């Protein structure tokens, strides 16, 4: 049950939405407090559905590949080809681009679908509005670019490329190197995760403000305020459209930045 | 009046990133208008700069919730 549906069912006001709006009750109340608590919720449903849709769609679309693509094959190929051409190959060149395109394309499609639950009626919350999921993706990307860097250059050389900016005067290095370590090794996964999380968090909150606000106005005893609630619902619809842009943009930005970090690990100089 | 002072803080914190994002897009539009074929080359830089600046505003948003009890 979504948060707004619970509000309507209980008939009490949750109006100023806050962090409590992101807590989801277990579907089976018997599980609360056991080891299986938080296993069956709307959030986990979103994640499982995302994985299922991705796996099933790509297996189904590519079951009998043809030289002249069928409709479903074309859809799968253009989704993959978009990331392969505009992100992977543009950033890393033909050879390395094709090598990392599968990871980047999977990442992009996974994030798009995960974010998309934010505007699907009945669910209307993205699992990415909980920090755990973006953090996991960011850690994966972090492991990826660190591993690629160490494998390509060896640990010492990779560290030198990553944290020692070339061409600076010698006396400034004690100041520069800690900043570069902080920025390139510690803060990158943090900002990667936080950007996606905060966008989804803010998006859900904005939708809640307008939609719950609309119901709050509708419950008012003043006739004019009830009438004005239509503007609140209208804003709710407009913000849903805006969310669609944010969903695609944030998935693209996450993929692009991961690609850039991997490219930085592959390159000789940074 | 009810509400959280944090929201005022967030409003103030969003001014800087707002101007920053505007400058980045303005620069990209100028560059593309002068040299349309460079759009593809500069687009990754556009999104990179945009994302780096935008995250500051998002830090503000998250901290507005995280600092102050979180209700």
């Amino acid at each position: 049950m979504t948060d707004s549906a619970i509000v309507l069912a209980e008939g009490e006001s949750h109006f100023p939405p806050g962090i409590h709006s992101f807590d989801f009750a277990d579907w089976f109340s018997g599980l609360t407090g056991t080891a299986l608590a938080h296993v069956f919720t709307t959030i986990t449903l979103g994640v499982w559905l995302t994985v299922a849709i991705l796996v099933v769609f790509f297996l189904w679309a590519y079951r009998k590949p043809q030289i002249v693509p069928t409709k479903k094959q074309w859809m799968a190929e253009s989704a993959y080809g978009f990331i392969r051409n505009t992100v992977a190959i543009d950033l890393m060149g033909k050879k390395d681009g094709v090598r990392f395109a599968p990871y980047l394309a999977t990442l992009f499609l996974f994030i798009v679908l995960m974010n998309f639950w934010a505007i699907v009626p009945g669910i209307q919350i993205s699992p990415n509005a909980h920090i755990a999921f973006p953090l996991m993706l960011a850690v994966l990307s972090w492991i990826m670019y660190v591993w690629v860097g160490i494998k390509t250059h060896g640990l010492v050389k990779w560290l030198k490329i990553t944290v020692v900016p070339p061409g600076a005067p010698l006396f400034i290095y004690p100041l520069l190197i800690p900043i570069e370590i902080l920025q390139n090794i510690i803060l990158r996964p943090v900002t990667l995760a936080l950007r996606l999380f905060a966008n989804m968090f803010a998006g859900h909150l904005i939708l809640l403000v307008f939609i719950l606000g609309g119901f709050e106005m509708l419950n008012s005893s003043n006739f004019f305020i009830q009438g004005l609630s239509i503007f609140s619902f209208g804003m709710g619809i407009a913000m849903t459209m805006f969310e669609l842009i944010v969903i695609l943009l944030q998935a693209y930005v996450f993929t692009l930045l991961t690609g850039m970090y991997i490219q930085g690990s592959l390159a000789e100089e940074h | 009046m009810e509400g959280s002072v944090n929201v005022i803080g967030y409003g103030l914190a969003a001014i800087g990133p707002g101007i920053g994002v505007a400058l980045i897009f303005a620069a990209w539009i100028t560059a593309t208008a002068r040299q349309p074929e460079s759009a593809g080359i500069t687009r990754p830089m556009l999104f990179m700069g945009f994302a780096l600046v935008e995250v500051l505003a998002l830090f503000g948003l998250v901290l507005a919730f995280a600092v102050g009890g979180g209700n």
Side-chain angles (χ1 to χ4, degrees):
Chain A
M1 210 147 86
T2 64
D3 192 74
S4 40
I6 290 171
V7 171
L8 294 182
E10 287 173 351
E12 60 177 271
S13 170
H14 280 213
F15 173 59
I19 290 177
H20 59 82
S21 311
F22 292 83
D23 295 337
F24 274 75
D26 289 324
W27 285 349
F28 311 106
S29 50
L31 292 177
T32 311
T34 64
L36 285 177
H38 308 306
V39 172
F40 298 99
T41 62
T42 311
I43 306 289
T44 51
L45 175 77
V47 181
W48 282 114
L49 272 180
T50 304
V51 175
I53 290 170
L54 268 187
V55 172
V56 170
F57 173 70
F58 275 93
L59 284 182
W60 172 71
Y62 229 66
R63 201 177 39 180
K64 282 203 253 12
Q66 261 135 44
I67 295 185
V68 179
T70 54
K71 210 173 188 179
K72 60 194 181 199
Q73 193 186 337
W74 175 80
M75 272 171 70
E77 276 177 5
S78 48
Y80 171 73
F82 169 66
I83 292 302
R84 178 181 178 272
N85 296 333
T86 65
V87 177
I89 290 181
D90 268 11
L91 282 176
M92 296 179 231
K94 187 91 187 166
K95 186 171 151 282
D96 289 319
V98 172
R99 208 172 124 216
F100 287 103
Y103 175 68
L104 294 175
T106 314
L107 194 66
F108 175 75
L109 292 170
F110 183 69
I111 297 174
V112 164
L113 279 179
M114 287 267 275
N115 288 353
F116 207 72
W117 298 118
I119 58 170
V120 171
I123 292 186
Q124 285 201 323
I125 180 169
S126 167
N128 281 337
H130 283 257
I131 186 86
F133 298 102
L135 196 62
M136 198 61 227
L137 293 170
V139 166
L140 262 182
S141 289
W142 183 80
I143 292 172
M144 192 77 166
Y145 80 77
V146 169
W147 178 72
V148 165
I150 292 176
K151 198 160 168 267
T152 318
H153 300 294
L155 180 63
V156 177
K157 188 156 177 246
W158 173 72
L159 275 179
K160 185 176 167 292
I161 291 170
T162 315
V163 304
V164 185
L170 209 58
F171 62 89
I172 205 122
Y173 274 126
L175 193 66
L176 219 50
I177 289 175
I179 294 176
E180 289 283 311
I181 289 176
L182 191 70
Q183 196 179 6
N184 289 347
I185 300 184
I186 299 167
L187 278 184
R188 269 180 184 181
V190 174
T191 53
L192 212 53
L194 203 63
R195 180 177 304 112
L196 182 57
F197 157 72
N199 268 292
M200 287 298 107
F201 182 85
H204 186 59
L205 217 52
I206 285 174
L207 287 187
L208 280 180
V209 164
F210 285 114
I211 293 169
L212 294 184
F215 282 113
E216 189 82 358
M217 287 162 98
L218 214 52
N219 285 337
S220 157
S221 52
N222 187 325
F223 178 73
F224 290 104
I225 292 181
Q226 284 182 359
L228 284 176
S229 73
I230 192 156
F231 291 108
S232 190
F233 288 122
M235 275 301 281
I237 294 169
M239 280 295 155
T240 304
M241 299 297 157
F242 179 69
E243 270 294 284
L244 184 62
I245 302 172
V246 172
I247 283 165
L248 296 171
L249 186 68
Q250 288 308 317
Y252 181 70
V253 164
F254 195 104
T255 317
L256 191 74
L257 286 176
T258 302
M260 275 179 181
Y261 296 157
I262 293 174
Q263 191 268 337
S265 286
L266 286 168
E268 285 295 314
E269 296 289 331
H270 88 146
Chain B
M1 231 165 83
E2 285 179 50
S4 172
V5 192
N6 291 354
V7 177
I8 300 174
Y10 171 61
L12 293 175
I15 296 174
I19 296 172
V21 168
L23 286 176
I24 288 166
F25 275 96
W28 189 72
I29 291 166
T30 314
T32 309
R34 290 185 181 203
Q35 200 70 263
E37 59 270 29
S38 78
I41 306 166
T42 49
R43 193 180 293 116
M45 293 177 218
L46 164 77
F47 282 114
M48 175 113 181
F50 161 73
L52 289 179
V53 172
E54 188 211 21
V55 83
L56 294 174
L58 297 174
F59 277 140
L61 176 75
V62 171
L63 288 177
F65 280 91
V67 181
N71 44 8

